[in-house]
Amino acid sequence: MVIGKLVKKPSTGILALVLLLICTSDPAGASPKVTVLAFGLFGAQSVFESEAKGAADIVAHQLEANAVVVRANTKKHGAVTIGAIEDALQSAAEGMDRENDLLFLILTSHGSQAGVAVQAGRREETLSPAALAGMLGRAGVQHRVVIISACYSGVFVGPLANANTLVITAADSDHSSFGCQDKVKWTYFGDAFFNRALRHTADLRSAFATARKLISARERHDGLVPSNPQIAGGKNIDVMLAERRGVATTGQQP
């Protein structure tokens, strides 16, 4: 005689419930999570710290970000080096679904045709377009928005922009942007794009179009050579963000 426990087979209804819970615990097509990284890179002028903080706050609100990291060099503290930026990108990527989530990177600093200036205490470096492209590639997050508020920042468009990477810059590759003054909250670009346009819409292209008009009007008023802000790439980002806005608006998965 074999003695053992009597095991009852689960009813069809229970099996169906278990399968339903399994299938809905991580639904396919769920809205991608958004991680925002913002860096104020030139410590000698407080505008870059202020702009990084303000921009991150507005983006996080409009895109309902899941994680936000803001770091800036200041007159007293200078820890944001090029190496620190890469470390932050790698750390953020480790907490993301690299194929489905969205990385939103904001850099604000002075710039040249060689790249953006990184001034951390007495250490001065230049983050080149090729170096930033390499960092993003090594981080491995497929979908990205990169916004660079700096003179000549259009030099980043060619190396970075593609269907999965939307690039927005404060100027083209041949011109300066304006408003990089100590003790102000925003540069011209930061004020127009983040503070004025993006506060009222989560549509990045619409915000850029509005900001470009505001910047143009301000530059004409001040008698400045146009900075010619740029936007490029991001075909797949447009789809992702449109679907995400649909989720936020309707409460349903697209």
Side-chain angles (χ1 to χ4, degrees), residues 213-244:
K213 292 177 181 177
L214 292 170
I215 292 166
S216 180
R218 188 171 182 180
E219 289 170 342
R220 283 197 306 270
H221 179 270
D222 294 346
L224 300 170
V225 177
S227 54
N228 194 24
Q230 300 289 297
I231 186 168
K235 178 180 178 181
N236 295 336
I237 302 301
D238 292 340
V239 175
M240 174 182 287
L241 291 178
E243 290 179 346
R244 204 171 194 275

Side-chain angles (χ1 to χ4, degrees), residues 6 13 36 52-53 75 83 114 124 141 177 188 221 244:
L6 178 62
V36 178
K53 290 179 177 178
K75 295 174 183 177
E124 296 186 5
V141 179
S177 55
Y188 281 22
H221 179 270
R244 204 171 194 275

Side-chain angles (χ1 to χ4, degrees), residues 10 15 28 54 66 74 83 155 163 191 228:
L15 281 174
N66 302 88
T74 68
V155 296
D191 181 54
N228 194 24

Side-chain angles (χ1 to χ4, degrees), residues 5-16 18:
K5 294 182 179 179
L6 178 62
V7 179
K8 295 182 179 180
K9 293 183 179 180
S11 68
T12 303
I14 294 175
L15 281 174
V18 170

Side-chain angles (χ1 to χ4, degrees), residues 61-85:
H61 173 75
Q62 289 290 27
L63 272 65
E64 299 181 342
N66 302 88
V68 181
V69 176
V70 183
R71 296 184 63 188
N73 291 321
T74 68
K75 295 174 183 177
K76 294 183 178 180
H77 303 285
V80 187
T81 62
I82 290 177
I85 296 170

Side-chain angles (χ1 to χ4, degrees), residues 21-46:
L21 290 173
I22 292 173
C23 292
T24 57
S25 61
D26 185 18
S31 180
K33 294 180 180 179
V34 176
T35 295
V36 178
L37 299 183
F39 298 98
L41 297 177
F42 200 84
Q45 290 177 303
S46 62

